[in-house]
Amino acid sequence: MSVVLSAHDLAKAYGGRRVLDGVTLSVSPGARLGVIGENGAGKSTLLRLLAGVEEPDRGHVRRPADLGFLRQELPHPGHAAVGDVVAAALADLHRVGEQLAAAAARLADHPDDPAALATYGDLLQWAVDHDLWDADRRAELVLAGLGLAGVDRDRPVGTLSGGERCRLGLAALLIRQPRALLLDEPTNHLDDEAIAFVEAHLTRLPGAVVIASHDRTLLDTVCTDILDLDPSRRGPTRYGGGYSDYLRAKAVERRRWQEQYLAEQRRLAELRTAVRTVAAQVSHHRAPRGRDKLAYDRHGGRVQAQISRRIRDTRRRLTELERHQVRRPPQPLRFAGTLDRKSV
């Protein structure tokens, strides 16, 4: 299956603070990648880099021209009507529908024309990918599912509440159904019914979807893979399955990380002790003076050379392990507050 969206070795810093470093990913049609991490881990930054809103300091992104990115604010002026936003979301679908009809007519008149066949084939595939024939009905279903069916289509966008504008922006993307869809906290401002609608709709999309979210239920219900941006032995790590699968795999990974860290610390302590011990032997076997020098050269010199080789080898192994040792695993986040019955 071909990859729709990919990134290689992305890095991004702001004011000297590195937010992302070495992020590589690929998302195929039908795959839904959840991006998780603590606040400040770079989830929103990654989506902006994938969308092309910002450029990485290192690495590159391959994205389709037909990409949708859920922004915090609608890319429409405040005086635009709600109906204008819906019409804009349907515009490409209607345009391709007209082009497809014209291409079908040309192919009927010139069935042996390779160019006509290729054009028709490309347009037909685009129409299938975007479910073109159901677009108008989909628009009504999406608006209803997001609680916007009762909003007057002539109402200016600027008069909507912040939550309504966010829902309208999400609706426009779901109506468009682009080949790649980037969503940053898509369930914010949604009630339970709207969230259930979004979850069901996203699982049916044929394109690639990347979701940055703290909504564990959404990640568990929708995602086929999870990308964890939190610190790990290998940097940003991808796990198969939903959020529950990720939690199980993460627990195993953290246990192995802790075991590796402790084993390396024990080995470092052993090597440091060995360096001190062998160094003391070098001092103990220092070269003699005067008439004992000849006997030393016959026997003691060989011992000294052997000890010197040992200390060089031990120091080399110590330096190598110090250079490549894994970091101490961070302490798992725990809720440190207290609750009483009055607060719940």
Side-chain angles (χ1 to χ4, degrees), residues 38-294:
E38 298 176 12
N39 290 334
K43 301 184 296 297
S44 296
T45 298
L46 176 59
L47 261 62
R48 290 194 297 270
L49 296 180
L50 293 176
V53 174
E54 296 184 24
E55 291 299 319
D57 298 331
R58 187 186 72 236
H60 62 269
V61 176
R62 184 170 67 88
R63 65 181 69 85
D66 183 16
L67 178 142
F69 178 35
L70 181 62
R71 301 169 180 266
Q72 295 299 318
E73 289 296 331
L74 278 171
H76 296 275
H79 61 77
V82 171
D84 295 335
V85 176
V86 176
L90 289 167
D92 281 346
L93 295 155
H94 290 162
R95 176 181 55 79
V96 172
E98 294 171 358
Q99 293 175 343
L100 183 62
R106 180 183 176 189
L107 186 62
D109 293 337
H110 306 279
D112 298 324
D113 184 349
L117 181 60
T119 298
Y120 178 78
D122 290 343
L123 290 169
L124 182 61
Q125 185 60 57
W126 193 98
V128 171
D129 290 343
H130 295 75
D131 197 10
L132 182 149
W133 297 278
D134 198 40
D136 291 309
R137 189 178 76 93
R138 180 169 69 246
E140 299 304 321
L141 291 175
V142 167
L143 291 170
L146 293 177
L148 297 171
V151 177
D152 189 340
R153 298 292 176 89
D154 294 326
R155 183 175 173 180
V157 168
T159 66
L160 300 177
S161 68
E164 288 173 328
R165 288 196 298 272
C166 289
R167 283 184 278 143
L168 183 58
L170 177 58
L173 290 178
L174 297 182
I175 292 168
R176 276 181 53 202
Q177 196 163 297
R179 283 200 170 102
L181 186 57
L182 310 177
L183 303 175
D184 194 355
E185 300 292 353
T187 56
N188 284 357
H189 309 289
L190 301 184
D191 58 23
D192 290 345
E193 290 185 5
I195 290 174
F197 170 81
V198 169
E199 290 173 348
H201 194 91
L202 292 178
T203 58
R204 295 193 297 268
L205 289 180
V209 181
V210 180
I211 308 169
S213 179
H214 290 94
D215 187 335
R216 297 183 177 189
T217 302
L218 173 75
L219 295 169
D220 220 13
T221 304
V222 172
C223 293
T224 58
D225 297 90
I226 299 291
L227 176 65
D228 185 5
L229 297 181
D230 282 340
S232 74
R233 290 188 297 174
R234 304 188 303 273
T237 306
R238 185 165 179 165
Y239 298 86
Y243 191 79
S244 295
D245 300 304
Y246 153 77
L247 288 178
R248 288 188 288 270
K250 181 73 170 181
V252 173
E253 165 63 19
R254 195 185 190 287
R255 185 169 62 250
R256 290 173 177 168
W257 185 1
Q258 180 74 10
E259 290 170 353
Q260 181 182 353
Y261 172 77
L262 293 175
E264 288 185 353
Q265 294 307 304
R266 287 193 296 268
R267 183 58 178 156
L268 284 168
E270 292 169 358
L271 289 172
R272 288 165 183 151
T273 299
V275 167
R276 290 194 297 270
T277 302
V278 177
Q281 291 177 341
V282 170
S283 176
H284 177 72
H285 291 89
R286 62 184 179 274
R289 298 178 180 177
R291 61 184 179 182
D292 294 331
K293 188 174 187 301
L294 182 61

